[in-house]
């Protein structure tokens, strides 16, 4: 039989998840920066002060969503299981697909639309894992002779991030309502690893 503390912890976790789900709906309707705790409380069927038992502030809700989003993006880019330059391309494509399926969270993660919001170290930790994931793939590509050793430096990692963010930013700015396959700019994503290799050709 479930203990009372365990039951309370489960209910607490379920309520937090429900709050975050409602918050995402509000952000989708009002813009990411338009999140209102009063609106979330009304949709949850409670008074606004009750929300603060679960999240200390509006920014705490953003922080929890930021962590959820980074974990989701990390899981996506790590799914293909490819190595080297092929792995870079597969991870970029998997990440782009995740972004197209999670556009509200992606705005919070990659475009920082909320004035004054800075993620906590705990919530930002998965982003560092993503950085290490791509660094490992590029390192493998260098070892295989697919890329110049300079590709494994910080400038190379910055270029990879810029290539994918540029394509996705153009896509969401111009065609946010289409699928990954239909996108004018997402269809360029499979070519990004070749662009990266052209900048850092093997010696």
């Amino acid at each position: 039989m479930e203990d009372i503390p365990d039951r309370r912890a489960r209910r607490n976790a379920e309520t937090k998840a429900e709050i975050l789900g409602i918050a995402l709906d509000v952000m989708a309707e009002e813009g990411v920066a338009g999140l209102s705790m009063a609106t979330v409380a009304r949709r949850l069927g409670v008074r606004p002060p009750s929300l603060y038992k679960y999240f200390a502030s509006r920014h705490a809700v953003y922080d929890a969503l930021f962590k959820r989003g980074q974990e989701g993006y990390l899981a996506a880019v790590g799914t293909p299981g490819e190595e080297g330059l092929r792995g870079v391309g597969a991870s970029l494509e998997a990440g782009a697909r995740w972004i197209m399926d999670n556009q509200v969270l992606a705005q919070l993660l990659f475009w920082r639309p909320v004035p004054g919001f800075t993620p906590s170290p705990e919530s930002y930790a998965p982003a560092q894992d993503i950085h290490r994931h791509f660094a490992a793939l590029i390192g493998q590509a260098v070892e295989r002779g697919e890329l110049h050793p300079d590709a494994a430096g910080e400038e190379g990692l910055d270029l990879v991030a810029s290539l994918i963010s540029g394509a996705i930013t153009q896509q969401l700015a111009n065609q946010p309502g289409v699928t990954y396959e239909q996108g004018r700019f997402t269809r360029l994503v499979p070519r990004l690893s070749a662009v990266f290799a052209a900048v850092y050709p093997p010696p």
Side-chain angles (χ1 to χ4, degrees):
M1 186 173 179
E2 189 178 28
D3 292 337
I4 291 176
D6 292 338
R7 194 158 59 242
R8 285 175 179 164
R10 179 171 51 80
R11 280 202 302 264
N12 185 277
E14 290 171 351
T15 302
K16 282 186 172 182
E18 187 176 4
I19 290 169
L20 295 179
I22 294 171
L24 275 175
D25 290 341
V26 174
M27 289 158 63
E29 296 164 13
E30 305 296 335
V32 175
L35 177 62
S36 162
M37 296 293 273
T39 302
V40 173
R42 184 173 66 251
R43 295 188 184 187
L44 188 64
V46 301
R47 295 178 63 83
S50 298
L51 289 185
Y52 296 101
K53 294 189 298 184
Y54 303 97
F55 294 98
S57 66
R58 188 173 76 118
H59 278 197
V61 174
Y62 282 128
D63 194 61
L65 288 172
F66 188 94
K67 184 173 187 288
R68 175 191 284 189
Q70 290 289 5
E71 290 173 342
Y73 188 72
L74 174 61
V77 299
T79 296
E82 302 280 357
E83 296 184 350
L85 188 60
R86 186 183 179 101
V88 172
S91 290
L92 289 176
E93 184 171 351
R97 289 179 179 277
W98 183 91
I99 289 172
M100 292 301 292
D101 290 338
N102 298 273
Q103 294 182 27
V104 176
L105 276 177
Q107 289 177 51
L108 180 64
L109 267 55
F110 304 120
W111 289 275
R112 303 294 183 87
V114 182
F117 169 66
T118 301
S120 66
E122 179 186 1
S123 295
Y124 193 74
Q128 295 174 318
D129 290 334
I130 294 165
H131 183 85
R132 284 189 282 268
H133 170 75
F134 280 100
L137 292 176
I138 293 171
Q140 291 170 356
V142 170
E143 291 175 1
R144 294 177 175 203
E146 298 170 335
L147 294 171
H148 191 281
D150 289 350
E154 285 301 312
E155 183 181 271
L157 289 165
D158 289 345
L159 178 58
V160 166
S162 298
L163 287 171
I164 188 61
S165 65
I168 294 300
T169 297
Q170 287 290 337
Q171 184 60 55
L172 297 186
N174 291 282
Q175 293 179 309
V178 303
T179 65
Y180 175 90
E181 286 76 15
Q182 296 169 329
R184 175 182 169 191
F185 297 95
T186 46
R187 68 173 179 232
L188 303 176
V189 171
R191 303 174 67 178
L192 295 182
S193 59
V195 173
F196 185 63
V199 176
Y200 293 106

